[in-house]
Amino acid sequence: MNSQQEFVLRTVEERDIRFVRLWFTDILGYLKSVAVVPAELENAFGEGIGFDGSAIESFSRISESDTIALPDPSTFQLMPFEQNGTDRSIARMFCDITMPDGQPSFADPRQVLRRQLASAASDGFTCYVHPEIEFFLVDSINTQGQPPTPTDNGGYFDQAVTDKAPHFRFDAISALEDMGISVEFSHHETAPGQQEIDLRFADALTMADNIMTFRYLIKKVALKNGVRATFMPKPFAGYAGSAMHTHISLFEGDSNAFHDPDDEFSLSSTARQFIAGILRHAPEFTAITNQWVNSYKRIMFGNEAPRAATWGVSNSSALVRVPTYRLGKGSSRRVEVRSPDSACNPYLAYAVILAAGLKGVREGYELTEPAEEDISKLTRRERLALGYQDLPGSLDHALRLMEGSELVADTLGEHVFEYFLRNKWREWHDYQAQISSWELRTTLDY
């Protein structure tokens, strides 16, 4: 038993914790949980918790159903406001999923990201990320397919005082901080009911865990405030969608590998090659960073959502933006990837983005000149004339590009790659089969 495991067992006893929830995610990023009592925790550390993997969609075939969840003690945290009317608390830990022989499960998204981080480490890099997570607060999500009602009519940076959940952000940030998740900023976003909370940077695996915890807590806090939270990419036709703009940097030890004080934009050759890798492969991995049919309503019709694989300096319409705050501060040099939405699986999304960037570094991709135009206002012909490659405009298009991507297949592994494609093709076909109210309004009287 290592020191982290001993700390967890000691804390469980001292804090009189009733249950420990063991968390993991499926391939689509749905949070799964099994609760153990304190008496079983030591055995869980040694042998894991066995479960039927075939009952979790995408995890294993019925003939290979035995699967094990191994708790990661470094992720142990007490859950806020979950005492269930008693003084005894509840805690949680994330798990790594393994097979009975101890090998990592090929279906575990956490292991997919671990592999990519190990690949980066072999080149001497540690990857840090800092996401800006947007979401909507609405009256209810039980709308029978009708648009929800936002909780306020605020706009960008508004200090709302008449909304239906005036204490929401205070409660949300308090809950996140209680679980060791540091928050940098929070504010009202551009659309009614839309919020943004930015998390302080962390290594990519810790941040993916934090994002899963974030989604859970935000929904819990919303319920406590009498409203609901949704991470649907674009629930309103007339307003901007919800993104998860992610700032990324690579470090070599304590040195930021993206910083070059002699460059016009303080970008090192490593940073430029990393950006070039993202731009070249973005169309292939868009199905991962934007995994829902609804995701493409944001890309095609959302304010400042990237339409093409471009980069720019302080250009919010580009796929990759280079922030110009504190250009001379080496530790702050980073690039911002603006395509992911708030409903992606963060483990898979960060894995494919990192894989694309590292391929650019390893193969010395050259970076084009930055885009200075507002890409969102250009026509398709204008984008093509400028040499910009469009991002997919539908899940159908994105899946076709992903099917031919060696990079995405290698990054995800055969099982995750094949399951993701099968699941998302089914989603697309189900969507195509629907007869929308728009079609009925415009064609029924023909």
Side-chain angles (χ1 to χ4, degrees):
M1 180 153 306
N2 62 41
S3 59
Q4 286 182 323
Q5 293 170 340
E6 291 173 352
F7 168 79
V8 170
L9 294 175
R10 186 169 61 251
T11 303
V12 167
E13 181 178 1
E14 292 173 352
R15 300 295 294 268
D16 197 22
I17 290 172
R18 180 181 295 272
F19 297 111
V20 179
R21 290 178 176 165
L22 305 183
W23 283 1
F24 60 96
T25 68
D26 66 12
I27 288 175
L28 299 183
Y30 286 108
L31 188 63
K32 305 295 181 179
S33 175
V34 57
V36 298
V37 296
E40 296 298 320
L41 195 54
E42 185 171 352
N43 185 63
F45 281 136
E47 299 180 6
I49 299 294
F51 66 96
D52 180 2
S54 66
I56 306 286
E57 190 175 8
S58 81
F59 256 54
S60 61
R61 293 172 292 192
I62 197 165
S63 60
E64 302 169 334
S65 61
D66 290 343
T67 314
I68 296 171
L70 278 175
D72 179 350
S74 70
T75 66
F76 176 83
Q77 286 287 350
L78 296 181
M79 299 292 293
F81 52 73
E82 290 206 12
Q83 282 80 20
N84 293 331
T86 74
D87 293 330
R88 301 181 70 181
S89 301
I90 296 173
R92 76 96 168 93
M93 278 185 286
F94 280 94
C95 294
D96 291 313
I97 307 303
T98 70
M99 307 307 291
D101 62 2
Q103 292 299 309
S105 168
F106 39 67
D108 182 9
R110 209 165 183 256
Q111 299 287 12
V112 171
L113 181 54
R114 275 191 191 279
R115 289 198 304 268
Q116 202 51 231
L117 294 173
S119 177
S122 69
D123 290 345
F125 296 126
T126 303
C127 178
Y128 291 96
V129 297
H130 144 55
E132 303 171 354
I133 309 176
E134 297 172 351
F135 56 95
F136 280 90
L137 293 181
V138 296
D139 285 355
S140 173
I141 58 173
N142 299 317
T143 65
Q144 287 73 53
Q146 298 303 306
T149 302
T151 57
D152 63 68
N153 290 313
Y156 190 63
F157 267 42
D158 275 359
Q159 178 60 56
V161 293
T162 58
D163 62 28
K164 298 176 182 177
H167 305 296
F168 169 81
R169 284 207 301 271
F170 175 83
D171 292 344
I173 292 169
S174 297
L176 290 165
E177 295 279 355
D178 284 347
M179 291 200 68
I181 300 175
S182 297
V183 174
E184 278 198 342
F185 309 109
S186 72
H187 60 86
H188 199 287
E189 255 297 335
T190 57
Q194 192 177 32
Q195 314 292 322
E196 176 178 310
I197 297 179
D198 301 356
L199 304 184
R200 185 173 294 278
F201 77 92
D203 68 90
L205 183 61
T206 297
M207 186 56 72
D209 290 342
N210 287 349
I211 291 168
M212 296 306 303
T213 305
F214 178 98
R215 290 177 183 162
Y216 176 85
L217 288 178
I218 290 300
K219 292 183 176 182
K220 292 284 288 188
V221 172
L223 279 171
K224 279 177 63 69
N225 279 266
V227 296
R228 300 299 293 268
T230 176
F231 293 90
M232 183 178 179
K234 200 172 190 303
F236 300 101
Y239 300 122
S242 290
M244 191 174 75
H245 303 151
T246 296
H247 299 250
I248 302 177
S249 56
L250 297 181
F251 273 70
E252 294 175 298
D254 295 329
S255 176
N256 188 341
F258 280 1
H259 180 68
D260 180 354
D262 298 324
D263 181 76
E264 179 183 4
F265 307 122
S266 297
L267 288 174
S268 68
S269 59
T270 297
R272 290 176 174 274
Q273 292 163 352
F274 191 89
I275 295 171
I278 291 174
L279 299 186
R280 182 178 300 187
H281 298 288
E284 306 165 31
F285 67 62
T286 295
I288 302 296
T289 55
N290 307 86
Q291 67 166 329
W292 304 101
V293 164
N294 180 255
S295 298
Y296 298 85
K297 304 295 176 70
R298 168 184 164 256
I299 287 178
M300 295 298 292
F301 306 107
N303 296 358
E304 295 186 350
R307 296 284 304 278
T310 59
W311 76 285
V313 180
S314 296
N315 187 343
S316 295
S317 68
L319 169 63
V320 179
R321 185 180 78 95
V322 177
T324 55
Y325 316 117
R326 299 181 290 277
L327 277 177
K329 187 176 180 181
S331 60
S332 297
R333 181 46 45 226
R334 61 196 187 276
V335 300
E336 178 189 357
V337 184
R338 296 177 61 83
S339 60
D341 59 45
S342 298
C344 68
N345 181 330
Y347 301 100
L348 302 186
Y350 288 162
V352 294
I353 291 171
L354 182 57
L358 288 174
K359 188 173 180 65
V361 174
R362 289 167 180 156
E363 299 187 10
Y365 288 5
E366 291 190 11
L367 187 61
T368 57
E369 291 298 310
E372 298 179 351
E373 308 86 0
D374 183 346
I375 312 300
S376 64
K377 288 185 167 55
L378 298 178
T379 66
R380 181 175 180 274
R381 291 181 63 190
E382 289 171 333
R383 293 194 299 273
L384 290 174
L386 290 167
Y388 301 151
Q389 184 179 15
D390 272 1
L391 295 178
S394 66
L395 182 61
D396 167 49
H397 187 193
L399 293 174
R400 293 181 191 279
L401 293 176
M402 176 179 161
E403 281 182 326
S405 174
E406 182 178 334
L407 176 121
V408 176
D410 289 347
T411 302
L412 300 184
E414 180 180 0
H415 179 88
V416 175
F417 183 76
E418 291 297 333
Y419 171 80
F420 188 93
L421 284 169
R422 285 200 307 272
N423 180 280
K424 290 301 171 180
W425 275 126
R426 184 167 67 244
E427 178 185 339
W428 175 252
H429 293 150
D430 289 346
Y431 172 72
Q432 281 186 306
Q434 303 303 306
I435 307 300
S436 70
S437 59
W438 182 89
E439 293 170 274
L440 293 171
R441 287 196 309 270
T442 58
T443 320
L444 190 60
D445 66 348
Y446 181 75

